[in-house]
Amino acid sequence: MTTDEAIRLVTTARDDDELFGGDAPERRYRELVGALHPDRLGWAGPGIRAAATAAFLRVTSRWRARRATVLHGYRCGRPAYSGDLADLYDVGADRLLKLPRDAADNDLMVREQRALRTLAERGDPRWLPYVPRLVDSFTHRDADTGAERRITVLGTAPGLHSLVEVRRAYPDGLDGRDVAWMWRRLLVALGLAHRAGLVHGAVLPSHVLIDPAAHGLVLVDWCFSTVPGGRVPAMVPDHDTWYPPEVPDRGPCGPGTDIFMATRCMTWLLNRDAPRRLLDFARGCRQRFLRARPDDAWLLLGELDEVLHRLYGPRTFRPFTLNP
């Protein structure tokens, strides 16, 4: 490839596929760099030299950007979401690629991968839609720094919104009847996890996603999961007040740890007119000591249903929207 041809290609290419080609992009990149490199332009006049230098800088920057956003065959654009530890990229086909920002958090990424495999193997298939689906996992080595990061690819569903978004839409809180279906489904997700031998360890509003129209719910971010009797490995920054005492005290955790945090999420959503019976139920789920709290989410779901029936009568579908 001549210098003139390389300049023309770089300046006219509409996208990276056109610039680098689809079959052998690395070979095309080497050809372009070889034709445009400043060390090979001693013969050229000022105009050609300036154009070639500009093209050289453009092609190298685009190549670095391309390498940074194609991971194990998954093409990443801008992050679709930014979580506690990682950025999530929409890679198409209802999948999100989860890339940790710091390789020091690889152990937490591995925890999530292990937890999702356990849920898929041991969980009741009826309730698996309440948790993410592990599609792929691999290690990526940064060519510039040599740092290796553990990456997770998750199956996702459209139309999900976190409880943070719900509270933002309803700053004065929700009617207890709206909170009721979210509470019930969150207990189902916890029941699934606890029967599979897992404690989520970080049931926070940003980790509880709902589908407002279909009344669906997904409990995400299993990076902080552990087994009953184990210790939650870390706390999400700026959420100290959301955790029960055993977590900051580095004590053994159990299903009651998740139940405490889930209840905190639900009472956070309630408005000032929340019925006393519902608040009393919540208070019983947030006892200070783990041994004093409920430890069976399925039994607790039955108790919640009794409270809701006394308050509101037989269950009926109540439409919900994020546009009050």
Side-chain angles (χ1 to χ4, degrees):
M1 183 181 297
T2 68
T3 300
D4 287 341
E5 290 172 338
I7 292 172
R8 189 179 307 112
L9 177 58
V10 173
T11 54
T12 60
R14 291 169 293 182
D15 53 37
D16 284 356
D17 289 338
E18 192 169 306
L19 177 59
F20 299 115
D23 297 331
E26 291 191 15
R27 185 173 63 191
R28 171 68 65 78
Y29 170 70
R30 290 194 296 270
E31 291 175 351
L32 288 167
V33 168
L36 298 169
H37 198 282
D39 291 347
R40 299 187 57 183
L41 301 176
W43 55 267
I48 294 294
R49 179 179 291 275
T53 299
F56 176 81
L57 293 173
R58 184 176 182 184
V59 76
T60 53
S61 63
R62 287 178 65 172
W63 179 251
R64 283 195 297 268
R66 176 186 175 91
R67 292 185 68 190
T69 57
V70 178
L71 305 174
H72 209 69
Y74 297 99
R75 183 178 293 276
C76 308
R78 294 181 179 179
Y81 311 97
S82 289
D84 308 314
L85 309 171
D87 295 321
L88 289 95
Y89 298 85
D90 187 343
V91 293
D94 292 330
R95 297 177 179 183
L96 289 173
L97 183 145
K98 190 171 184 177
L99 175 66
R101 290 186 287 273
D102 190 337
D105 292 325
N106 280 343
D107 61 324
L108 299 178
M109 299 294 290
V110 172
R111 277 181 181 264
E112 177 167 56
Q113 294 166 9
R114 186 183 301 125
L116 295 181
R117 290 190 185 99
T118 298
L119 289 167
E121 293 168 1
R122 301 181 187 174
D124 188 322
R126 291 176 297 174
W127 315 123
L128 289 179
Y130 286 74
V131 298
R133 177 172 55 89
L134 181 63
V135 174
D136 196 3
S137 62
F138 57 92
T139 300
H140 171 70
R141 184 178 185 276
D142 190 290
D144 296 326
T145 66
E148 292 188 344
R149 289 183 285 179
R150 297 296 297 264
I151 295 176
T152 306
V153 180
L154 302 168
T156 185
L160 296 177
H161 302 270
S162 75
L163 295 188
V164 175
E165 296 174 78
V166 174
R167 182 57 190 263
R168 189 179 299 130
Y170 292 86
D172 295 328
L174 295 176
D175 187 289
R177 291 168 294 179
D178 293 317
V179 174
W181 67 262
M182 302 178 200
W183 205 332
R184 296 190 73 258
R185 282 153 181 76
L186 184 52
L187 287 175
V188 170
L190 294 181
L192 166 72
H194 299 162
R195 291 286 170 86
L198 292 171
V199 174
H200 183 275
V203 187
L204 298 167
S206 57
H207 299 161
V208 181
L209 309 183
I210 65 161
D211 178 346
H215 284 196
L217 181 144
V218 182
L219 180 59
V220 302
D221 205 337
W222 291 78
C223 293
F224 305 92
S225 60
T226 186
V227 297
R231 289 167 174 78
V232 173
M235 295 171 63
V236 176
D238 302 323
H239 286 76
D240 295 7
T241 60
W242 288 82
Y243 289 87
E246 64 269 16
V247 178
D249 291 346
R250 302 293 296 152
C253 298
T257 303
D258 287 342
I259 288 171
F260 180 105
M261 300 186 75
T263 306
R264 174 76 171 86
C265 289
M266 296 298 104
T267 55
W268 180 69
L269 289 178
L270 286 168
N271 63 25
R272 294 180 179 179
D273 298 325
R276 175 56 55 186
R277 282 184 177 178
L278 202 55
L279 295 177
D280 288 343
F281 174 84
R283 191 174 298 109
C285 297
R286 295 185 61 203
Q287 298 292 323
R288 175 174 176 78
F289 297 106
L290 178 61
R291 63 178 179 272
R293 287 179 228 138
D295 62 358
D296 189 319
W298 292 114
L299 289 178
L300 192 62
L301 175 59
E303 295 177 16
L304 176 61
D305 281 344
E306 291 179 8
V307 172
L308 294 174
H309 186 82
R310 293 193 197 104
L311 288 171
Y312 304 118
R315 286 207 308 270
T316 58
F317 184 85
R318 177 179 165 88
F320 182 73
T321 174
L322 287 186
N323 298 308

